[in-house]
Amino acid sequence: MSNQHHSSSAGDRHRLEGPKNHYISYIISIVLTMLAFAVVLYGGLDRSFILFFIVGLAIVQIIVQLAYWMHMKDRGHLFPIVGLAFGAFIALTAVIMAVYWVWW
């Protein structure tokens, strides 16, 4: 009888997560969207608070989307993460320079 052991190979590197993580991330996304709508519909809050709150919710939504739907939390995604971070840095720099240029 041959003794067969299941060893992890390159194909097993990405383990199957199942639908549980997708359900959880979908619920988080729906809750974040509902919070954004609720803050805008309430109407009794300061406009600057609403703006910062919605931008904060958008940042959390981006992190949830990248981590769970785009699988950036898994191993082997360092190069795409660095590329996204560099792109965000360039976009933020462009926005800051445009605002500086207009208001100077």
Side-chain angles (χ1 to χ4, degrees):
M1 245 189 197
S2 73
N3 198 2
Q4 294 180 349
H5 294 285
H6 294 289
S7 63
S8 68
S9 64
D12 294 335
R13 194 173 4 171
H14 298 288
R15 69 179 205 283
L16 296 175
E17 296 176 354
K20 179 183 174 184
N21 284 339
H22 289 111
Y23 291 144
I24 291 170
S25 63
Y26 181 71
I27 290 169
I28 291 171
S29 297
I30 295 297
V31 167
L32 291 172
T33 304
M34 288 172 43
L35 279 171
F37 277 113
V39 167
V40 172
L41 287 175
Y42 179 66
L45 300 171
D46 185 36
R47 290 183 69 153
S48 61
F49 172 77
I50 292 172
L51 180 68
F52 284 116
F53 187 73
I54 290 178
V55 168
L57 289 176
I59 291 170
V60 172
Q61 183 83 283
I62 289 169
I63 292 169
V64 168
Q65 295 292 326
L66 287 174
Y68 288 102
W69 293 104
M70 301 303 290
H71 301 285
M72 291 292 180
K73 64 182 174 25
D74 296 338
R75 287 185 181 178
H77 287 92
L78 181 63
F79 188 71
I81 290 171
V82 169
L84 285 170
F86 182 70
F89 173 74
I90 295 297
L92 185 63
T93 303
V95 169
I96 290 171
M97 290 298 112
V99 168
Y100 177 75
W101 185 21
V102 169
W103 282 341
W104 178 252

